[in-house]
Each structure stands twice: as structure tokens, then as C-alpha cells.
Amino acid sequence: MVNFISLSDLHSKIPFPAIRVKIIKKWNTKIGRDHHSMMLLGDSNGVTIQGSLNYALSLPREIELKEDDWVEILNFDIRTVLELHRTTKHKYTIKFNESSLFRKIQPVNASNFLCCANFRGIKRGLYHPMYCVDLCGALVRVGDLIATKLAQPANIYNSIMYSLEFSLINIGYTHIQCVAYGSLAHRLNAFWRANTADVVVTVLRLWRIEWGEGGFNYVTNMKGGSDILFDSDIPEIQFFKSQ
């Protein structure tokens, strides 16, 4: 019989780990010379952890790991987190290997695993910039899409960086400065220009806190892992609108 454990009890000395988790978010990234599929995973207790699957490892044809799927996962490596910017506060990360087994299961709960940060708390330095945060607020002061030519582009196809500055305002009328880069800047710009609503409420998932010499500067997206959500069915957006 398989003994499934909570992510909070996960540590590197467990010989044959097994977990039941939801795939909250997926994105692709390059680590060294290898391409990886990164995943933010969460269990029934609300604990989250990051996992990665090397593209060199192939899954069975009948298995396709998608966002919002709940899965049982057996046999994987547990490593200490070393990244400068982290999607969770878990001290470990999961590395899937050739022996890892995946099985889709029915949803354990309906949690979206959002934990929206307090705007004043961010400005006062109560959130460590090492960890990404979620934010919910109304869009204000949306600027223009700016194209900047990179001095040393990675390749000729990515020689221009697009950015878009904007602010969020929360229920307490506290503003927080934000900067979106790349595809999220394009997506936000298109949505904002086409929108006709008086108030646009959004959720920023997994955004980084940027500090400077004078203190808090802005929050910005992490390449691949961050997201911007406009779905009116999200409880956090519904609550904001009700206020």
C-alpha cells in the first residue's frame, strides 16, 4: 500500500516519496543546456512546492500533465532549493526522474492556491523579495507598450524587450507600482485597450518584488512562471468587486 505524505513532511531522506498534488502552474525554462518543464504543485493542505521535468525524460503517451490536474506522483528526487527567486517558501524542490510515476486522480479540493499579499506590507518590507507573491487589485494608470532594443540580445530573434508600466489599487486605496515584460506586457496591453468596463480587477500570480536604494520599487513578472488573471469566477476577484 502506498503511503502518500503531505508536502510539509517532505524531506530529502524519504526513500520512496509519494504525493497527491494539483498542478497549479506550468511553464518552460532552460537550466544550463537542458530545457525543463517547471511546475508549481500544491497539496490538500495548501502547501506548495516547485517541481521540474527534464525534456529528455519522456512520459507515457496516455499521460499529459496539464494545469489544474490533480495527480498522484511516486518516485522522485528531492533537492534543496538554491534559486535566487522562488515560487514557494518550501525548502525543497522536486526533480522527476526515469522512475517517476504519474496517475491522474479526481480533484481533492477546489482551491486555486492564491494567497494575495497586503500592499502596505510589501511597501513596508514585510515580504521577502526572494519569494514571489500574488496580488489582487483594480488596474489603474496603465501606460503604453514600450519597446527597448537590447544591447546584448540572446539571439537576433529576441533583440527587443517590451514592457508596460501600470498600477494596482486595493480595497484600502493603496497603490502599488507594477511592470510587465515580454508576452505578459503584450497580453495586458491587448486586454486593456479592448476593455470597456469601468473597473478592471485582476490577479497577478507569482510576481517578484523589486527593491532599490530608496526601498520598494515595483513588482514585476518572472519569465515563464508569472501570470495575470482576469477570470471573473476567481473568488478573490469576486470579493474585490463586492466591496
Side-chain angles (χ1 to χ4, degrees):
M1 181 177 179
V2 178
N3 181 28
F4 292 96
I5 62 174
S6 168
L7 292 181
S8 60
D9 297 327
L10 204 62
H11 57 82
S12 57
K13 299 192 181 297
I14 297 177
F16 301 103
I19 54 176
R20 286 191 177 106
V21 291
K22 178 181 180 178
I23 302 174
I24 305 167
K25 174 73 179 167
K26 281 186 67 180
W27 67 98
N28 301 323
T29 191
K30 190 175 182 181
I31 303 176
R33 295 185 177 181
D34 297 328
H35 291 271
H36 291 255
S37 176
M38 310 299 293
M39 305 175 206
L40 179 63
L41 309 171
D43 69 8
S44 59
N45 296 320
V47 181
T48 59
I49 194 171
Q50 185 170 297
S52 65
L53 176 67
N54 194 313
Y55 277 12
L57 303 178
S58 58
L59 296 174
R61 291 183 179 180
E62 65 272 15
I63 292 293
E64 181 184 359
L65 302 177
K66 298 182 295 184
E67 289 183 0
D68 295 330
D69 281 346
W70 280 84
V71 290
E72 292 178 344
I73 309 175
L74 285 67
N75 305 330
F76 46 83
D77 299 323
I78 305 169
R79 309 280 178 82
T80 301
V81 179
L82 300 175
E83 285 82 357
L84 180 61
H85 293 107
R86 306 177 183 183
T87 56
T88 85
K89 292 184 178 180
H90 207 294
K91 65 183 294 185
Y92 295 109
T93 184
I94 290 173
K95 303 286 185 182
F96 302 117
N97 55 46
E98 298 87 348
S99 301
S100 298
L101 300 174
F102 300 84
R103 187 174 77 90
K104 290 188 180 183
I105 61 174
Q106 291 297 314
V108 176
N109 61 40
S111 174
N112 58 21
F113 292 89
L114 287 170
C115 184
C116 294
N118 180 277
F119 286 17
R120 292 185 185 274
I122 292 176
K123 290 185 169 184
R124 292 171 57 192
L126 301 182
Y127 292 81
H128 198 295
M130 178 186 293
Y131 303 108
C132 293
V133 295
D134 303 327
L135 298 165
C136 181
L139 283 170
V140 293
R141 303 175 185 169
V142 179
D144 297 322
L145 189 65
I146 304 297
T148 304
K149 189 171 183 179
L150 300 177
Q152 294 180 321
N155 55 66
I156 61 173
Y157 302 105
N158 295 297
S159 60
I160 297 177
M161 172 63 73
Y162 290 91
S163 62
L164 180 66
E165 295 186 7
F166 63 99
S167 292
L168 287 185
I169 185 172
N170 66 6
I171 296 172
Y173 297 101
T174 300
H175 288 77
I176 197 160
Q177 184 67 23
C178 312
V179 183
Y181 288 98
S183 59
L184 280 190
H186 282 283
R187 185 172 153 204
L188 174 57
N189 183 65
F191 181 89
W192 179 255
R193 306 304 167 195
N195 184 73
T196 58
D198 293 333
V199 178
V200 178
V201 182
T202 185
V203 166
L204 308 183
R205 184 194 284 277
L206 300 178
W207 283 51
R208 292 193 292 108
I209 300 171
E210 290 288 340
W211 281 82
E213 293 183 2
F216 171 76
N217 282 352
Y218 54 86
V219 295
T220 187
N221 56 304
M222 177 181 62
K223 186 177 180 181
S226 301
D227 205 352
I228 183 166
L229 311 172
F230 302 104
D231 189 352
S232 59
D233 291 332
I234 296 174
E236 287 75 6
I237 290 181
Q238 290 180 341
F239 175 77
F240 188 100
K241 289 183 174 179
S242 72
Q243 303 301 305

